[in-house]
Amino acid sequence: MLGKIPSGLFIITARHGDRETGMLASWIMQAGFEPPMISLAVRKDRYLVDWLATGATVVVNVLADGQKEMLRHFGKGFEPDEPAFDGIELARSPQGVPVLAQSAGHLECAIRRHVDSGDHRIFLAEVVGGHAAGDQPPAVHVRKNGLRY
């Protein structure tokens, strides 16, 4: 049943110095109202974990149902210096973090703290901005197995 817990599909985008990247993620959920908070779980061996220090800005781009091209593009992963946004239309957050122009919307977040959880690090992030791009239904994902992606 662990694999049957539904989640959304998101692209986390981040900047670190002059480098930037995007990563497919599904373990993101709302974690508070006052202030508005979300949680993001990232596998500890991903280099993005090192970029998400307390205070860092990250953008959570919500994929719309049917955005399979975005899933394919970001699902392969990127090395730290590999360009992640070739052929992707971007906007920028006020802090310069990439925003996927074709997503269903995005949340701009500031990392507030983290806790390690097994093979993942869970980040708590305050939502400081965002935009809904319309009434597109979000993508929903149900895994086949609760013990791997």
Side-chain angles (χ1 to χ4, degrees):
M1 282 310 301
L2 187 58
K4 302 292 182 199
I5 297 173
S7 63
L9 288 169
F10 311 92
I11 306 300
I12 298 171
T13 54
R15 255 183 103 71
H16 186 71
D18 61 349
R19 297 185 296 171
E20 53 190 23
T21 197
M23 183 191 98
L24 178 63
S26 62
W27 291 353
I28 296 175
M29 64 183 301
Q30 187 169 353
F33 292 118
E34 294 291 330
M37 301 284 287
I38 63 170
S39 63
L40 305 88
V42 180
R43 202 173 61 216
K44 288 182 192 175
D45 63 355
R46 302 291 298 256
Y47 67 88
L48 186 62
V49 166
D50 296 330
W51 293 18
L52 300 181
T54 299
T57 299
V58 63
V59 172
V60 175
N61 298 273
V62 179
L63 292 183
D65 190 30
Q67 285 194 297
K68 294 189 185 319
E69 70 286 345
M70 289 288 191
L71 289 173
R72 280 190 293 277
H73 181 84
F74 289 99
K76 64 183 181 178
F78 300 95
E79 295 299 319
D81 292 316
E82 185 179 1
F85 303 109
D86 285 351
I88 305 291
E89 184 181 349
L90 295 177
R92 296 282 172 177
S93 75
Q95 286 74 28
V97 178
V99 175
L100 303 180
Q102 302 303 314
S103 68
H106 73 278
L107 298 170
E108 182 183 341
C109 303
I111 301 297
R112 296 298 182 222
R113 63 187 52 88
H114 73 268
V115 62
D116 287 343
S117 177
D119 57 355
H120 280 65
R121 180 164 289 168
I122 300 171
F123 295 92
L124 291 175
E126 182 177 348
V127 177
V128 296
H131 176 73
D135 290 332
Q136 305 170 60
V140 176
H141 177 62
V142 177
R143 292 175 290 128
K144 294 178 179 146
N145 182 318
L147 301 177
R148 63 179 177 272
Y149 293 119

